[in-house]
C-alpha cells in the first residue's frame, strides 16, 4: 500500500481561551484544524490492491470538503492572521461535526495503510461497511450545514450540494474481485478442513502477489502486522479471530520459507513445488531460521542431519516442534503439554507476553497443526516426533479420569461430614463447619453442586437467623458461593431463603454479612424469573439503597451491581427510584472517595429508561456539571454512561436543559473531544447531543444579516 504523507505540525483544535459568547468554540482553530486534516487526507492516493474504489471515493469526497474549507477560510480572512468576519452561530457545530467525520475517515485510511493486507482481505465487507458509515456520517453533517449563510463562491456551493446528494445516495460497495480473492484465501487456509491436502504454492504466491506481497521483505512485514493485530482481537470474544490470525502468520511464514528459499536477502521468487512433497535433499536447506534440531529420519537421511524448523512451528516454552498447538487468551500459541504444565504450576500469565490470562481455555490451532504435519511429511520427519502416541494419550486420559473421580468422591464425603456438623453440632462446631463449607464452595462448580446435593442449603438458611455474628457471616457467604451454580439458585429460593437473606441485608450484625447478602441477591437475580420476585419486595430495594449509603467501597459496589441487575427488568426501575436510589447515586458521583463512579453512572443511565427515573434525575441541578466533568475525567465506560444520561436529559427537558448544558463552559469542548476520539458508542451519542445543542443554539441566536 502507498506510504502515508509526511507528518505535519497539527494546529490546535481546542484553545485555552474557552468558549465564545454563543457557548461554542472560537471558529479560528476550528477552521484551521478542518483545513489541515482535510488537506492532509486529500493528499492520499487510492490504494492499488485492496478497497481501491472505496478509498478513491473517500479521498475524492474529502478533496471537495477541502475546497469548501479553503474557500471559507479565504472569504472569512480579514487579510491577517485571524478570521475577519464571524461565522454564523448555527454553522459552528456543523463544521465541528464535519471535522470529526474527516478525522475518522483519515483514521480508517491510516489503519488500512499500516494494517495487515491479509487481515483486510479477510474482513473486506467489514471495511466496506466502515466506509459506508463514514459516507452516511458525512451526509448527516451536510444535512445541517447552512450553506446559504456561508460566504463561499457559487462554484464551491454547487460542488458541496452535489457531494451532499451523492453521499445521501451512497450504498455499500464490496469489490467482487476482493470477494473472490478472499474465498481463495479461505480455501488455502482450509478453515473448514474438509480436505487436508498439500498446499498449492502456485496459488499461494498468486494470492499474495494480488494483494501486494511480492518480496521476502513484504512477507516479513506482513507477519509483523498480523502479530500487531492479535492484541486487538484477543479475549473471550475474539478466539476465532485470533485463531485465524495465527493461521495466517503460520501460512505466511511457511510460504516465505518455500517461495524465497535462495537466501535471506534474496527477494527473487523461485519456482515453488507443485502439490507434492519436497525432495529429500531439501531437508538440509536452511528455512530462514536461526536455530536447528537434530532428528533421526528415514534411511535416506543420516542421524546427523540437521533440520531447520520454522520458528512458528516451535513451542515458545521448550523451543521443540509442537505436537498439539493450542491458543491461549492472549492469542499466542504453545504446545498443549508445555502450557498445561505452566498453568498447573500456578502461573496465570502468558509466558511470552507476561499478560495476565483472562481465561484458562486452550483452543486447538488446527490450521497450524495441519501446516506442521505437512512440513514434517515433506521433510521425512518421523511421525513419532510430531504425533502423540495413542497409548500415551489414552493413559493420560485414563489417569485424569481416575484422579477426577477420586477428587469428587473426597469432596462428597467432606460435604456430607460438614452438613452433619451443621445439623447437630454446637454453635462453635456449626461456625467452623459453615466456614469450611464457605471455603469448599469457593473453588469450583462441582464442589457447589456436591454441597447442595449433600443437603447443606436448608441448614445454611436456618443459620442466617443466628445471633452469632461470625456464624451468620459464614452462613451467608457459603450461600453466596453455592448460589453461583445456577441449579442451586432454584434450591435456595424453593427453601424459602429470600426472606432470611433480606433480613441479613437490612439487619446483619456485621457489615461483611450485609455486603455478602447483597452479593447473594445479585447472584439470585441473574435468573430472569427471580428478578421479578425480588423486585416485588420493597424491603429488598430499601436494603440495597441503605447499603449503598453505609457500606464499604466493595459493599457499595455489590449493592449498585445488584440494583443494576434488578433494574434490567423494566418494572423494577420504578421500585428502585421509589426506594430513594437517585439522590444516593448523585451523592456518590460527587464523592471522589466513594470509588464506585462507573457503577453509579451505569445505574443512573439505566434508570433514565423510566419516566419516574428521568423526572427524579432531572430535578438534580448538580447533575449537569458533575456529568460534564465526568465527560473529561471519567473512564471510557463512564464517559459513555455520562453522555447517555445527558442525551436523555436534553431530549426529556427540551430547550431549558440544552441551555443549562450550553452554559457550562466545558460541555461543548468535552463533547467535541468525545465525538472525535471516543468509542463508537460515545461518538454516536456525542454527535447526537451536539446536533441537539446546535438546534437549541439556532433557536436562541438570531441569524446575521
Amino acid at each position: 500500500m502507498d506510504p502515508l504523507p509526511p507528518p505535519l505540525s497539527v494546529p490546535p483544535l481546542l484553545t485555552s481561551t474557552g468558549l465564545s459568547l454563543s457557548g461554542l468554540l472560537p471558529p479560528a482553530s476550528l477552521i484551521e484544524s478542518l483545513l489541515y486534516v482535510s488537506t492532509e487526507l486529500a493528499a492520499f492516493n487510492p490504494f492499488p490492491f485492496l478497497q481501491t474504489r472505496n478509498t478513491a471515493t473517500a479521498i475524492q469526497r474529502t478533496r471537495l470538503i477541502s475546497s469548501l474549507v479553503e474557500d471559507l477560510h479565504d472569504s472569512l480572512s480579514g487579510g491577517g492572521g485571524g478570521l475577519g468576519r464571524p461565522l454564523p452561530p448555527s454553522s459552528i457545530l456543523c463544521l465541528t461535526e464535519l471535522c470529526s467525520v474527516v478525522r475518522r475517515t483519515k483514521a480508517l485510511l491510516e489503519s488500512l495503510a499500516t494494517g495487515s493486507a491479509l487481515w483486510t482481505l479477510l474482513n473486506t465487507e467489514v471495511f466496506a461497511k466502515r466506509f459506508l458509515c463514514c459516507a452516511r456520517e458525512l451526509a448527516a453533517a451536510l444535512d445541517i450545514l447552512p450553506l446559504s449563510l456561508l460566504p463561499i463562491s457559487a462554484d464551491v456551493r454547487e460542488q458541496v450540494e452535489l457531494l451532499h446528494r451523492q453521499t445521501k445516495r451512497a450504498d455499500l460497495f464490496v469489490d467482487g474481485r476482493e470477494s473472490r480473492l478472499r474465498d481463495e484465501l479461505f480455501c488455502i487456509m482450509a478453515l473448514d478442513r474438509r480436505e487436508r491436502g498439500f498446499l498449492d504454492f502456485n496459488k499461494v504466491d498468486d494470492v499474495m502477489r494480488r494483494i501486494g506481497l511480492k518480496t521476502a521483505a513484504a512477507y516479513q512485514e506482513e507477519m509483523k502486522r498480523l502479530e500487531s493485530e492479535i492484541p486487538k482481537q484477543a479475549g473471550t470474544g475474539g478466539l476465532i479471530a485470533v485463531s485465524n490470525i495465527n493461521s495466517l502468520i503460520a501460512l505466511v511464514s511457511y510460504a516465505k520459507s518455500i517461495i524465497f528459499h535462495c537466501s535471506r536477502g534474496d527477494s527473487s521468487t523461485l519456482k515453488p513445488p507443485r502439490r507434492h512433497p519436497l525432495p529429500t535433499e531439501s531437508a538440509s536447506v536452511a528455512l530462514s531460521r536461526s536455530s536447528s534440531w537434530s532428528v533421526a529420519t528415514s534411511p535416506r537421511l543420516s542421524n546427523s542431519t540437521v533440520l531447520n524448523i520454522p520458528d512458528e512451528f516451535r513451542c515458545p516454552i521448550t523451543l521443540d516442534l509442537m505436537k498439539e498447538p493450542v491458543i491461549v487468551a492472549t492469542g499466542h500459541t504453545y504446545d498443549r503439554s508445555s502450557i498445561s504444565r505452566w498453568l498447573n504450576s500456578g502461573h496465570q500469565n502468558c509466558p511470552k507476553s507476561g499478560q495476565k490470562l483472562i481465561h484458562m481455555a486452550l483452543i486447538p490451532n488446527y490450521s497450524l497443526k495441519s501446516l506442521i504435519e505437512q512440513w514434517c511429511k515433506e521433510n521425512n520427519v518421523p511421525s513419532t516426533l510430531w504425533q502423540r502416541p495413542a497409548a500415551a494419550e489414552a493413559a493420560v486420559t485414563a489417569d485424569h479420569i481416575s484422579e477426577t473421580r477420586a477428587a469428587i468422591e473426597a469432596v462428597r464425603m467432606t460435604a456430607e461430614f460438614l452438613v452433619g456438623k451443621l445439623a447437630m453440632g454446637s454453635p462453635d462446631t456449626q461456625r467452623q463447619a459453615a466456614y469450611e463449607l464457605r471455603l469448599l464452595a469457593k473453588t469450583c462448580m462441582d464442589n457447589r453442586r456436591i454441597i447442595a446435593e449433600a443437603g447443606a442449603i436448608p441448614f445454611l438458611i436456618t443459620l442466617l437467623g443466628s445471633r452469632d455474628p461470625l456464624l451468620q457471616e459464614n452462613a451467608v457467604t457459603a450461600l453466596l458461593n453455592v448460589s453461583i451454580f445456577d441449579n442451586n439458585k432454584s434450591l435456595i429460593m424453593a427453601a424459602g431463603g429470600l426472606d432470611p437473606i433480606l433480613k441479613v441485608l437490612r439487619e446483619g450484625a456485621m457489615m461483611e454479612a450485609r455486603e455478602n447478602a447483597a452479593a447473594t441477591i445479585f447472584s439470585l437475580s441473574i435468573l430472569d424469573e427471580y428478578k421479578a420476585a425480588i423486585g416485588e419486595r420493597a424491603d429488598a430495594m430499601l436494603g440495597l439503597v441503605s447499603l449503598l449509603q453505609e457500606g464499604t467501597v466493595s459493599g457499595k459496589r455489590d449493592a449498585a451491581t445488584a440494583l443494576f441487575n434488578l433494574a434490567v427488568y423494566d418494572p423494577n426501575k420504578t421500585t428502585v427510584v421509589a426506594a430513594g436510589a437517585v439522590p444516593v447515586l448523585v451523592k456518590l458521583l460527587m464523592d471522589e472517595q466513594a470509588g464506585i463512579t462507573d457503577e453509579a453512572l451505569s445505574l443512573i443511565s439505566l434508570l433514565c429508561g423510566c419516566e419516574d427515573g428521568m423526572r427524579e434525575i432531572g430535578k438534580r441541578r448538580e447533575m449537569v456539571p458533575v456529568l460534564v466533568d465526568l465527560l473529561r475525567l471519567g473512564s471510557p465506560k463512564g464517559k459513555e454512561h455520562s453522555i447517555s444520561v445527558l442525551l436523555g436529559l436534553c431530549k426529556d427537558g427540551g430547550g431549558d436543559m440544552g441551555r443549562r448544558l450550553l452554559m457550562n463552559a466545558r460541555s461543548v469542548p468535552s463533547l467535541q473531544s468525545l465525538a472525535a476520539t471516543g468509542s463508537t458508542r460515545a461518538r454516536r451519542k456525542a454527535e447526537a447531543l451536539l446536533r441537539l445543542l446546535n438546534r437549541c443554539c439556532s433557536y436562541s441566536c438570531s441569524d446575521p444579516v
Side-chain angles (χ1 to χ4, degrees):
M1 296 184 179
D2 287 357
L4 296 177
L8 305 174
S9 58
V10 184
L13 177 59
L14 305 177
T15 66
S16 58
T17 56
L19 300 173
S20 63
L21 293 176
S22 65
L24 303 174
L25 280 176
S29 295
L30 173 61
I31 293 295
E32 290 175 7
S33 295
L34 183 52
L35 180 60
Y36 163 76
V37 72
S38 60
T39 302
E40 188 182 44
L41 181 52
F44 276 67
N45 291 319
F47 298 156
F49 299 109
L50 297 172
Q51 299 292 335
T52 304
R53 176 171 161 181
N54 283 328
T55 55
T57 303
I59 293 168
Q60 180 59 33
R61 289 168 180 160
T62 306
R63 287 172 180 165
L64 294 177
I65 295 297
S66 181
S67 300
L68 164 67
V69 181
E70 287 176 4
D71 200 31
L72 187 61
H73 184 271
D74 294 341
S75 299
L76 294 176
S77 295
L83 294 181
R85 296 171 53 190
L87 281 174
S90 59
S91 68
I92 296 177
L93 277 176
C94 306
L95 291 173
T96 302
E97 286 196 55
L98 199 59
C99 186
S100 298
V101 174
V102 175
R103 284 178 182 275
R104 284 195 289 279
T105 305
K106 178 174 175 284
L108 175 56
L109 288 175
E110 287 175 340
S111 70
L112 283 171
T114 60
S116 158
L118 286 169
W119 189 246
T120 300
L121 179 60
L122 281 187
N123 293 276
T124 182
E125 291 184 3
V126 174
F127 283 102
K129 288 176 181 177
R130 289 178 63 183
F131 276 106
L132 177 61
C133 182
C134 288
R136 288 177 175 171
E137 289 174 347
L138 179 58
L142 294 175
D143 276 341
I144 55 176
L145 184 65
L147 280 176
S148 60
L149 302 179
L150 297 180
I152 55 178
S153 67
D155 288 344
V156 170
R157 182 177 287 107
E158 184 177 345
Q159 288 179 354
V160 175
E161 289 172 346
L162 176 61
L163 173 62
H164 187 199
R165 291 193 296 271
Q166 290 175 345
T167 53
K168 293 278 281 186
R169 296 194 303 267
D171 202 357
L172 180 68
F173 174 76
V174 179
D175 193 326
R177 180 188 64 86
E178 290 182 25
S179 296
R180 290 189 294 273
L181 196 58
R182 179 195 57 189
D183 293 341
E184 289 182 36
L185 179 59
F186 272 126
C187 291
I188 291 172
M189 294 172 67
L191 292 181
D192 55 7
R193 295 189 299 282
R194 285 175 296 196
E195 292 186 60
R196 301 270 309 259
F198 283 3
L199 285 177
D200 182 348
F201 284 100
N202 275 336
K203 182 175 290 186
V204 174
D205 184 43
D206 178 60
V207 170
M208 297 299 185
R209 286 178 172 276
R210 286 159 68 187
I211 61 173
L213 303 180
K214 302 178 180 179
T215 65
Y219 277 56
Q220 195 65 35
E221 178 63 24
E222 178 66 13
M223 285 190 284
K224 291 180 181 178
R225 294 185 177 190
L226 283 167
E227 287 173 355
S228 69
E229 192 68 35
I230 287 177
K232 304 173 189 176
Q233 304 294 334
T236 54
L239 291 174
I240 296 177
V242 169
S243 177
N244 288 344
I245 293 172
N246 275 283
S247 300
L248 288 172
I249 293 173
L251 173 65
V252 175
S253 175
Y254 192 25
K256 174 176 174 286
S257 300
I258 299 299
I259 296 173
F260 305 99
H261 63 277
C262 263
S263 67
R264 287 180 181 272
D266 188 6
S267 62
S268 62
T269 304
L270 298 182
K271 284 291 183 181
R274 308 288 197 266
R275 297 187 70 87
H276 56 74
L278 293 173
T280 304
E281 288 73 18
S282 68
S284 60
V285 177
L287 296 181
S288 304
R289 291 297 177 260
S290 60
S291 52
S292 59
W293 175 55
S294 297
V295 297
T297 60
S298 65
R300 298 180 64 185
L301 290 176
S302 68
N303 290 341
S304 62
T305 301
V306 175
L307 284 179
N308 289 304
I309 305 173
D311 287 346
E312 285 71 22
F313 296 172
R314 295 177 180 270
C315 175
I317 297 176
T318 64
L319 299 182
D320 291 333
L321 183 70
M322 287 186 280
K323 297 181 180 180
E324 243 189 306
V326 294
I327 304 168
V328 299
T330 58
H332 292 101
T333 297
Y334 301 91
D335 191 57
R336 182 182 291 277
S337 60
S338 302
I339 192 63
S340 295
R341 286 196 300 271
W342 171 268
L343 297 176
N344 291 337
S345 63
H347 295 93
Q348 297 182 345
N349 61 308
C350 173
K352 191 171 182 180
S353 68
Q355 292 177 297
K356 186 174 181 179
L357 299 175
I358 61 175
H359 62 77
M360 300 299 168
L362 302 178
I363 309 302
N365 193 336
Y366 293 113
S367 298
L368 180 57
K369 185 175 182 180
S370 178
L371 288 172
I372 292 173
E373 290 177 1
Q374 177 175 340
W375 181 85
C376 289
K377 291 175 182 177
E378 290 174 348
N379 289 276
N380 297 326
V381 177
S383 60
T384 55
L385 296 176
W386 52 272
Q387 286 182 342
R388 169 177 280 191
E393 189 167 351
V396 171
T397 304
D399 288 344
H400 175 71
I401 293 172
S402 178
E403 290 173 4
T404 302
R405 286 176 177 170
I408 289 175
E409 192 59 29
V411 171
R412 191 182 309 281
M413 292 175 63
T414 302
E416 290 173 353
F417 172 79
L418 293 174
V419 170
K421 296 299 182 182
L422 285 182
M424 303 177 62
S426 65
D428 289 342
T429 302
Q430 288 177 323
R431 186 190 312 118
Q432 186 62 32
Y435 178 73
E436 295 291 339
L437 284 170
R438 166 184 179 173
L439 295 181
L440 191 62
K442 190 176 182 179
T443 52
C444 70
M445 287 295 183
D446 279 338
N447 289 5
R448 295 168 189 134
R449 174 181 56 80
I450 292 168
I451 289 171
E453 290 173 354
I457 288 177
F459 295 105
L460 290 172
I461 290 173
T462 300
L463 293 176
L464 293 179
S466 172
R467 295 183 180 180
D468 182 338
L470 284 175
L471 177 54
Q472 185 185 68
E473 179 201 338
N474 287 333
V476 73
T477 309
L479 277 174
L480 166 62
N481 293 339
V482 167
S483 70
I484 297 173
F485 185 61
D486 281 349
N487 288 351
N488 291 346
K489 293 176 172 60
S490 301
L491 296 177
I492 292 171
M493 294 294 284
L498 183 57
D499 285 335
I501 292 170
L502 292 179
K503 187 172 183 180
V504 175
L505 173 65
R506 300 189 315 271
E507 305 170 7
M510 298 177 66
M511 182 56 71
E512 187 173 350
R514 295 181 59 194
E515 293 173 353
N516 287 340
T520 308
I521 293 297
F522 164 75
S523 177
L524 295 174
S525 65
I526 289 175
L527 298 184
D528 290 340
E529 59 190 296
Y530 298 139
K531 284 183 174 70
I534 297 172
E536 292 172 358
R537 300 288 299 270
D539 52 346
M541 303 301 186
L542 291 171
L544 291 171
V545 171
S546 175
L547 184 62
L548 203 56
Q549 291 177 289
E550 303 165 3
T552 64
V553 173
S554 61
K556 290 176 180 177
R557 186 173 290 113
D558 287 337
T561 306
L563 285 169
F564 180 91
N565 202 48
L566 289 167
V568 168
Y569 180 64
D570 281 336
N572 288 345
K573 290 183 174 69
T574 303
T575 312
V576 174
V577 174
V582 172
V584 178
L585 291 169
V586 174
K587 187 176 179 180
L588 289 173
L589 289 181
M590 299 173 66
D591 182 5
E592 295 180 356
Q593 306 301 320
I596 63 161
T597 302
D598 284 353
E599 289 81 1
L601 266 177
S602 63
L603 181 52
I604 287 177
S605 176
L606 188 61
L607 295 179
C608 285
C610 77
E611 190 173 294
D612 291 346
M614 184 63 73
R615 187 185 309 113
E616 187 67 21
I617 294 168
K619 290 179 184 177
R620 306 285 159 180
R621 299 194 64 84
E622 63 270 39
M623 277 298 293
V624 169
V626 169
L627 292 173
V628 170
D629 285 342
L630 290 172
L631 287 180
R632 297 185 304 116
L633 306 174
S635 67
K637 186 60 67 176
K639 291 177 181 179
E640 287 185 12
H641 290 312
S642 297
I643 202 166
S644 294
V645 176
L646 285 172
L647 184 59
L649 289 173
C650 286
K651 286 181 177 179
D652 185 72
D656 290 340
M657 185 60 69
R659 283 187 285 273
R660 280 172 56 186
L661 185 55
L662 283 172
M663 288 173 62
N664 189 302
R666 296 189 179 105
S667 60
V668 174
S670 299
L671 290 171
Q672 291 172 332
S673 176
L674 267 183
T677 62
S679 65
T680 302
R681 182 182 178 192
R683 290 201 307 266
R684 187 175 66 251
K685 291 183 178 293
E687 290 162 359
L689 185 51
L690 284 170
R691 284 194 288 270
L692 278 176
L693 295 179
N694 179 51
R695 287 198 290 270
C696 176
C697 183
S698 299
Y699 294 148
S700 59
C701 298
S702 58
D703 291 332
V705 179

